[in-house]
């Protein structure tokens, strides 16, 4: 229990220290030492608690719950203050509704509704803690260098670096609290803290666009918060008065189908699934570490975390299948939209939405095979996507652009960064990196499920689209350009620490994923389903052999080639000049330009987004209809 309390409270202590910081040197030491402490304790949690099964920690939680209620009211006041200031009446209305539900619960809850063990730890919590603690800490270290360059490039923005790190540490604290909480009241409190933190971070620059996008994220997540609060109120009025996560999951589907649907809806909003995906795309206006944090270790992972938790309730129900279709079609459509994007961060945003959709589809199916695939997807996506976001942030500060076309020949200009980006991209779609392994597992889970053929087709076509946008980006990185200047020496050492660590973690995790499965995922499945899933030994051996071959690609980029020559490209047998011109068939001097296909007329946002919004909205309506019809039939 000491480790859990440390991970929840220590980031808050670090945030308090940041309030008193006045010099950059002090800030650097606080962030680095805090990140190191969080990372080390997270690893110690793994080492000491793995194999212990599910542990519940009971104590008198009433004073803490009362404090949380007070803080929830403070959060509501802060949100209302911002909403009134910017005259956002939708946010005002939603906040008042959510606050009314919280007050209603607090006034109506009977003394019998008590969660005796408000904190718990199981293998899935350990996995999530590792993602939050290790990746979140590396993002903090990276931010030290990034924010210094950020203000050099954005002199019009006041320096609020201390505020930035305070919010980041509060964010990490809330995520630890969320994954360690057995009380749904506590889960809801930390859920709301992440909503407030994301709002503040997305609107960090305080530009008109950033403020608009921050409020979009806020009202969408407030919808989810209202649904979550509604689920808690519903459970309070049940005869058993269940508010413990352990109680809810073993109480039977008939009793909790309606609150499960409400919490599932909250998970969809937090995980940025269609029709709520626009908030995550809009979050790209924030500084790059914020994007990495939201996409990899916090916020959206909270959404898929709660859906995976409730997967045993969704299994074999109409609620689960409609939820799975929301995730499946989000995966397919967001993958298509990503093809048309030229901005690297928008590609990463839509690919995140797509990959989270696949996790949601697995959670909706809810079988032990599907959950095995879902947890693997969460792990590998968190590592690879954080590496990609941070790499893009570093590249943007050096070449003054985040356009994929401007990254042409990055292997010459920033060879080590390009190698790390190659690892990150390979981790997202190439064999035998984890995302592809997870998709293989998802196919097996879908085949065995009702409507399985539909989900397999969605996965197949969505993966084909994924191959398209990742491969063309990798091609631009690895293109050789003449007379390109190497600007990599300007990269801050703190950025190097994070990038090298994440690149190594991407490869190492692929080596040890059988151990992750055996010691963390399979025990979780055994406890919740009574059976386990995994890959056959022969498949694991083949993947390890392939891994060695794949690792040679980025390594070969960095090895010196004494006899290597860079030759200008040929255009129909005519050699181009150093400034990329050639003589065409009519004898005219013509500039040679290379560009990817983005096929915006086929895969643009305008063409696909509305289709996805309408389609997924219909399935969400069907999900609630199935919950109330099915739930009402059993009550």
């Amino acid at each position: 229990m000491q480790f859990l309390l440390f991970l929840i409270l220590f980031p808050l202590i670090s945030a308090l220290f940041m309030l008193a910081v006045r010099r950059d040197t002090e800030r650097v030491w606080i962030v680095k030492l805090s990140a190191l402490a969080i990372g080390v304790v997270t690893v110690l949690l793994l080492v000491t608690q793995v194999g212990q099964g599910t542990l519940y920690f009971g104590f008198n939680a009433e004073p803490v719950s009362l404090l949380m209620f007070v803080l929830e009211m403070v959060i509501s006041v802060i949100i209302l203050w911002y909403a009134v200031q910017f005259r956002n009446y939708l946010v005002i209305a939603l906040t008042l509704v959510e606050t009314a539900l919280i007050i209603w619960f607090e006034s109506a809850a009977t003394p019998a509704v008590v969660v005796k063990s408000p904190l718990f730890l199981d293998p899935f919590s350990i996995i999530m803690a590792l993602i939050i603690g290790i990746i979140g800490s590396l993002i903090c270290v990276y931010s030290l260098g990034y924010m210094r360059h950020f203000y050099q490039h954005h002199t019009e923005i006041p320096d609020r670096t201390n505020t930035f790190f305070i919010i980041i540490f509060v964010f990490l604290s809330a995520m630890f609290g969320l994954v360690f909480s057995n009380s749904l009241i506590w889960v809801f409190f930390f859920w709301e803290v992440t909503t407030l933190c994301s709002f503040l971070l997305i609107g960090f620059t305080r530009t008109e666009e950033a403020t608009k996008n921050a409020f979009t994220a806020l009202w969408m997540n407030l919808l989810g918060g209202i649904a979550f609060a509604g689920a808690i109120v519903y459970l309070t009025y049940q005869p058993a008065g269940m508010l413990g996560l352990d109680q809810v999951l073993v109480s039977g589907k008939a009793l909790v189908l309606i609150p499960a649907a409400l919490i599932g809806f909250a998970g969809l909003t937090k995980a940025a699934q269609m029709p709520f995906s626009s908030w995550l795309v809009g979050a790209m206006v924030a500084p790059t570490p914020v994007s990495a944090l939201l996409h990899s270790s916090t916020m959206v992972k909270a959404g898929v975390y709660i859906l995976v938790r409730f997967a045993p309730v969704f299994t074999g129900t109409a609620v689960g299948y409609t939820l799975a279709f929301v995730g499946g079609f989000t995966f397919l459509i967001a993958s298509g939209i990503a093809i048309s994007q030229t901005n690297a961060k928008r590609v990463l945003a839509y690919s995140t939405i797509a990959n989270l959709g696949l996790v949601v589809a697995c959670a909706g199916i809810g079988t032990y095979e599907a959950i095995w695939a879902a947890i693997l997807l969460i792990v590998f996506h968190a590592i690879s996507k954080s590496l990609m976001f941070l790499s893009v942030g570093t590249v943007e500060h050096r070449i003054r652009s985040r356009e994929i076309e401007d990254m042409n020949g990055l292997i010459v200009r920033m060879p080590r960064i390009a190698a790390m980006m190659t690892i990150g991209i390979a981790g997202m779609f190439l064999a035998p990196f984890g995302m592809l392994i997870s998709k293989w597992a998802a196919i097996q889970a879908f085949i065995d499920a009702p409507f399985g053929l539909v989900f397999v087709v969605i996965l197949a076509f969505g993966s084909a689209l994924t191959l398209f946008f990742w491969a063309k980006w990798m091609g631009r990185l690895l293109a050789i350009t003449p007379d390109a200047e190497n600007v990599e020496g300007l990269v801050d050492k703190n950025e190097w620490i994070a990038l090298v660590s994440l690149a190594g973690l991407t490869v190492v995790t692929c080596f040890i994923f059988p151990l992750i499965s055996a010691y963390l995922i399979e025990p979780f499945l055994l406890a919740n389903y009574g059976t386990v899933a995994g890959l056959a030994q022969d498949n694991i051996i083949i993947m390890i052999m392939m891994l060695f071959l794949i690792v040679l690609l980025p390594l070969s980029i960095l090895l010196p080639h004494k006899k290597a020559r860079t030759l200008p490209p040929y255009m129909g047998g005519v050699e181009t000049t150093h400034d990329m011109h050639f003589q065409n068939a009519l004898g005219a001097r013509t500039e040679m330009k290379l560009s990817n296909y983005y096929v915006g007329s086929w895969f643009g946002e305008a063409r696909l987004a509305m289709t996805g919004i309408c389609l997924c909205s219909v399935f969400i309506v069907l999900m609630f209809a199935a919950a109330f019809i099915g739930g009402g039939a059993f009550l």
Side-chain angles (χ1 to χ4, degrees), residues 273-274 320-336 339 353-362 365 377 439-440 442-443 446-447 450-467 469 603 612 615-616 619:
Q273 297 297 281
M274 289 184 172
Y321 294 130
T322 50
L323 185 72
F325 275 116
V326 173
F329 283 112
T330 298
F331 169 67
L332 179 63
I333 294 171
S335 296
I339 289 177
I353 294 166
N355 286 313
L356 293 173
L358 194 52
V359 177
V360 171
C362 291
I365 295 297
L377 283 166
K439 288 178 181 178
W440 288 351
I443 289 175
F446 291 157
I447 289 174
F451 310 105
L453 182 60
V454 177
F455 287 107
V456 170
V457 170
I458 289 173
L459 178 56
F461 279 93
S463 297
L465 298 174
T466 299
L467 172 65
F469 64 76
F603 296 104
L615 193 60
C616 292
F619 278 110

Side-chain angles (χ1 to χ4, degrees), residues 37-81:
I38 293 170
V40 168
V41 173
T42 304
V43 174
L44 287 175
L45 179 70
L46 168 68
V47 174
T48 58
Q49 302 301 318
V50 68
Q52 299 296 314
T54 303
L55 303 175
Y56 293 94
F57 304 98
F59 53 90
N60 181 17
E62 191 61 31
V64 180
S65 297
L66 180 61
L67 175 62
M68 287 182 176
F69 171 70
V70 173
L71 292 176
E72 282 171 2
M73 295 300 101
V74 172
I75 291 173
S76 296
V77 170
I78 293 172
I79 292 174
L80 284 172
W81 183 83

Side-chain angles (χ1 to χ4, degrees), residues 29-254:
W29 276 108
I30 290 175
V31 172
K32 284 187 174 181
L33 290 176
S34 299
L36 179 62
I38 293 170
V40 168
V41 173
T42 304
V43 174
L44 287 175
L45 179 70
L46 168 68
V47 174
T48 58
Q49 302 301 318
V50 68
Q52 299 296 314
T54 303
L55 303 175
Y56 293 94
F57 304 98
F59 53 90
N60 181 17
E62 191 61 31
V64 180
S65 297
L66 180 61
L67 175 62
M68 287 182 176
F69 171 70
V70 173
L71 292 176
E72 282 171 2
M73 295 300 101
V74 172
I75 291 173
S76 296
V77 170
I78 293 172
I79 292 174
L80 284 172
W81 183 83
Y82 278 108
V84 170
Q85 184 182 8
F86 290 94
R87 298 180 181 179
N88 194 308
Y89 300 109
L90 176 59
V91 169
I92 292 173
L94 293 175
T95 304
L96 291 175
V97 172
E98 185 182 69
T99 304
L101 284 171
I102 297 169
I103 295 173
W104 184 7
F105 162 75
E106 288 293 335
S107 60
T110 63
V113 186
V114 176
V115 180
K116 296 180 180 179
S117 302
L119 291 177
F120 83 121
L121 183 71
D122 72 347
F124 188 30
S125 297
I126 294 175
I127 291 173
M128 294 300 298
L130 289 169
I131 292 173
I132 300 162
I134 296 176
I135 297 178
S137 296
L138 289 173
I139 292 172
C140 288
V141 173
Y142 174 91
S143 299
L144 290 169
Y146 179 90
M147 294 306 291
R148 189 180 299 116
H149 291 290
F150 179 81
Y151 287 113
Q152 291 174 1
H153 292 191
H154 300 277
T155 54
E156 75 282 4
I157 300 175
D159 190 335
R160 295 187 298 120
T161 306
N162 279 8
T163 302
F164 178 85
F165 281 107
I166 288 170
I167 301 172
I168 291 289
F169 280 121
V170 172
F171 215 146
L172 294 180
S173 172
M175 280 301 299
F176 279 123
L178 194 151
V179 301
F180 292 146
S181 292
N182 181 48
S183 168
L184 284 176
I185 305 171
W186 289 26
V187 173
F188 175 75
F189 167 73
F190 291 119
W191 187 275
E192 291 302 286
V193 174
T194 65
T195 296
L196 177 61
C197 288
S198 65
F199 166 72
L200 296 174
L201 288 173
I202 294 170
F204 182 76
T205 60
R206 296 180 177 176
T207 63
E208 183 178 351
E209 182 184 14
T211 301
K212 177 184 175 183
N213 293 353
F215 273 108
T216 299
L218 183 58
W219 75 257
M220 288 187 176
N221 281 282
L222 281 173
L223 280 177
I226 291 172
F228 205 131
I232 291 175
V233 171
Y234 182 94
L235 288 168
T236 302
Y237 281 93
Q238 294 304 302
M242 302 171 298
L243 285 177
L245 191 59
D246 56 336
Q247 297 172 302
V248 172
L249 295 181
V250 300
S251 61
K253 297 173 185 177

Side-chain angles (χ1 to χ4, degrees), residues 338-369:
I339 289 177
S340 67
Q341 304 303 306
T342 62
N343 184 294
K345 287 185 72 173
R346 289 179 71 86
V347 172
L348 293 175
Y350 274 111
S351 67
T352 294
I353 294 166
N355 286 313
L356 293 173
L358 194 52
V359 177
V360 171
C362 291
I365 295 297
T367 62
Y368 69 95
E369 294 172 309

